[in-house]
Amino acid sequence: MFEVGREYIRQSEIHVPFGGQRFGGISTPANQPYMFIFTSDQGEKHGYSDGRDSKGVFHYTGEGQKGDMVMTGTNASIRDHQKKGVTIHVFRGLNGPGGRVIYEGVAEYIDHYKAPAKDTKGNMREAIIFKLDIDSSGLNLKSDVSKVSDEHRVSALNRMTLSKLREACLQVSPTDAPAEVKIKKVYYRCQAIKKYALQRSNGICEACFQKAPFETQTGPFLEVHHVHQLSDGGPDHPENVIALCPNCHRRAHYAVDAEVFNLSLIKSVLEKEQSLINSI
């Protein structure tokens, strides 16, 4: 329906063909299995503050500009969208004329909670905050991979939860896909696996279990190591990568006990992956 990262004009390209409320943050087209959510910096003046947390989960403020929010109407529609077979599409508004928005992806309801917030008049009230998992990979359909830019798809990895990153790591290009699509898939999986290992580590070296030595602009500094070298035919797979501090990474390559150390890393990452699989 929509392409991740593409700009749309809200009125003419979303509401004209699909319907739904033309204003506000939540739109529920009649007799359609879709719901449109719009988020924007402009919502802050009405007490809305949306964004992703450190795990990539999107926190979205429910509907209601005055007084305490209640779990009815469109708020209930978000909570119940899965059992009603409704797909949520998320758009981010651009600051400027024309009502232009960028498509962020398909969202799934995870949970919700209540938090104090100001309403449109500046009075304190109880707001409903939804926790959503937004799939921004742009790879929901096989055909999408050739339409979404590498830059946007790789950037979208930063916003995925660990389970979604793992899914991205395991994506395999269909055998009948064009060469260009296969190359894009391989590059995407490579980036996904690196980001997966770093997120899985939670800033802790997966060998010595010490905190990363320092913070960078993008988070704790750790290096991704392949416990089976790709040059030796090792698979590019979540079970084959581990996030290490610089010291442990050098030990894995240059220490006199490098071979024994790598065997311990293989065992460690397999145990950690099995534990994660059981918890997903």
Side-chain angles (χ1 to χ4, degrees), residues 19-134:
Q21 299 92 319
R22 293 173 180 249
F23 301 97
I26 305 173
S27 179
T28 52
N31 304 316
Q32 295 272 14
Y34 313 121
M35 178 187 303
F36 304 130
I37 282 180
F38 299 91
T39 180
S40 169
D41 295 340
Q42 298 297 313
E44 293 183 4
K45 63 185 179 183
H46 298 297
Y48 303 146
S49 182
D50 306 330
R52 289 178 172 81
D53 61 23
S54 60
K55 295 182 178 180
V57 175
F58 191 78
H59 294 242
Y60 181 77
T61 308
E63 190 170 66
Q65 293 186 6
K66 299 177 184 178
D68 292 341
M69 292 184 182
V70 292
M71 189 57 77
T72 58
T74 52
N75 288 332
S77 295
I78 293 178
R79 180 195 62 191
D80 302 332
H81 82 97
Q82 289 148 324
K83 64 171 109 177
K84 292 184 177 181
V86 173
T87 301
I88 297 177
H89 294 280
V90 181
F91 296 85
R92 175 168 50 86
L94 299 175
N95 296 327
R100 303 191 72 84
V101 295
I102 290 181
Y103 182 54
E104 292 284 301
V106 172
E108 294 284 338
Y109 167 85
I110 301 173
D111 197 0
H112 71 273
Y113 60 95
K114 294 183 178 180
K118 290 182 179 180
D119 65 14
T120 190
K121 291 188 174 182
N123 299 318
M124 293 304 297
R125 50 83 175 268
E126 193 173 64
I128 296 174
I129 314 295
F130 293 97
K131 297 170 72 173
L132 305 174
D133 181 10
I134 301 180

Side-chain angles (χ1 to χ4, degrees), residues 145-203:
V145 69
S146 62
K147 296 179 180 179
V148 182
S149 70
D150 288 341
E151 182 180 359
H152 183 83
R153 291 188 303 113
V154 171
S155 174
L157 294 171
N158 296 323
R159 303 191 292 272
M160 290 186 186
T161 60
L162 191 63
S163 61
K164 285 294 183 182
L165 268 176
R166 197 173 200 283
E167 288 179 16
C169 293
L170 298 176
Q171 287 183 12
V172 178
S173 183
T175 55
D176 59 347
E180 179 186 357
V181 172
K182 290 182 178 180
I183 292 171
K184 283 177 177 284
K185 279 270 195 175
V186 170
Y187 175 72
Y188 178 77
R189 285 186 66 229
C190 179
Q191 296 303 312
I193 285 169
K194 289 180 181 178
K195 292 182 184 297
Y196 173 80
L198 293 173
Q199 189 174 140
R200 183 185 65 195
S201 73
N202 199 28

